[in-house]
Amino acid sequence: MKIVVIGAGGAMGRRVADRLERRGAQVVRAHRATGVDAATSEGLTAAVDGADVVIDCLNVAAATEAKAVAFFEQTAANIADAAKAAGARVVLLSISNASDPAVNAKMGYYKGKARQEQVYREKLGEQLTIVHTTQWFELALTMSEQFALGPLAMMPHMVTAPLAADDGADVIVDVALGASFAGAASIQVRGPERMDLLDVARQARKALGRKGKVFSLRFGGPGLTDGSLIPDPADVITSTTVKRWLATL
């Protein structure tokens, strides 16, 4: 089985590509460093030619809603067209409830993901499976470091049911290989515990020996703190707890 991983240079894309190869798939790692740019379509048609499945793990560091929406809209259209021409199924990684206005009202990145989902659905219909996951534990570290100043860090309250990125990658691989949820249009994946990512950030930085405090940052609106980030019901509840994840740092 030939599987193309778009965004294979990123945190999730690498995990997915590695797991697919270990399970015997023919993997094409498609990202800018390998000559594939989904935003411009450079190298995209050649990469997807003959593929059975295309997995979209793209990410973008977009500071504004306009940039996030433009990026995800364009890349989704380009990838969908290439996949349709090749007769390939598409598996899209997205965020649980990102398309809910209560969640994305003040989150430009989430509005971009919502538009990405919409474009894929319009173009591919039943040829698409979306794997929605809650936020990863790893995001707590990433965000707290983005908003760090010396020993001090900031992190917004995000009440969610976070999961380890490794567990999310396992689900995506199973879906791509047809080992689970065959023919499903949408799959909801969450971690085992409801918690605030702010607390995860504090615990993770402590585990890494980082000095200084993590302060709460007012950001994103009530949709980030009232439980709207957690899918109900969830199709998959992953097993790695925050305690187990912290032990791997």
Side-chain angles (χ1 to χ4, degrees):
M1 178 180 287
K2 178 179 177 180
I3 301 179
V4 180
V5 182
I6 309 288
M12 183 58 80
R14 284 194 301 271
R15 286 175 165 87
V16 169
D18 289 346
R19 283 164 169 74
L20 286 168
E21 287 181 343
R22 289 199 292 268
R23 292 176 64 170
Q26 176 191 350
V27 178
V28 176
R29 296 176 184 249
H31 52 99
R32 288 177 180 173
T34 62
V36 180
D37 188 334
T40 65
S41 288
E42 180 182 358
L44 185 60
T45 300
V48 173
D49 184 48
D52 299 289
V53 181
V54 176
I55 303 175
D56 184 348
C57 291
L58 281 174
N59 188 25
V60 63
T64 67
E65 174 186 334
K67 288 183 178 179
V69 170
F71 175 82
F72 285 120
E73 181 177 63
Q74 188 62 61
T75 55
N78 292 343
I79 295 167
D81 288 344
K84 198 164 187 176
R89 184 165 58 95
V90 171
V91 176
L92 168 66
L93 168 64
S94 195
I95 304 168
S96 293
N97 298 334
S99 60
D100 182 350
V103 170
N104 70 31
K106 297 183 179 180
M107 296 286 286
Y109 184 89
Y110 284 19
K111 286 186 177 180
K113 292 295 290 183
R115 179 58 182 148
Q116 180 190 42
E117 292 182 19
Q118 182 182 12
V119 171
Y120 270 123
R121 287 192 180 101
E122 290 172 351
K123 283 183 168 286
L124 294 179
E126 295 181 357
Q127 200 176 331
L128 170 71
T129 298
I130 304 177
V131 178
H132 297 90
T133 79
T134 51
Q135 291 66 30
W136 313 331
F137 293 130
E138 290 81 357
L139 178 64
L141 269 177
T142 299
M143 290 188 72
S144 64
E145 289 174 354
Q146 286 176 342
F147 297 110
L149 181 62
L152 304 180
M154 293 181 288
M155 174 79 193
H157 286 286
M158 297 182 75
V159 176
T160 182
L163 68 152
D166 284 341
D167 288 350
D170 288 337
V171 175
I172 293 168
V173 168
D174 281 345
V175 171
L177 294 175
S180 60
F181 300 103
S186 176
I187 300 159
Q188 296 288 346
V189 186
R190 56 159 286 181
E193 304 164 292
R194 177 182 171 126
M195 62 184 62
D196 192 332
L197 271 192
L198 173 63
D199 295 328
V200 177
R202 287 170 172 162
Q203 293 178 61
R205 290 176 68 86
K206 182 178 179 181
L208 291 170
R210 306 278 173 81
K211 298 186 181 299
K213 294 183 178 181
V214 181
F215 294 93
S216 62
L217 174 68
R218 187 180 295 275
F219 178 77
L224 299 192
T225 59
D226 64 4
S228 296
L229 293 172
I230 304 173
D232 184 21
D235 300 296
V236 178
I237 300 177
T238 58
S239 61
T240 303
T241 63
V242 67
K243 183 177 180 179
R244 283 176 55 194
W245 176 76
L246 289 167
T248 69
L249 298 180

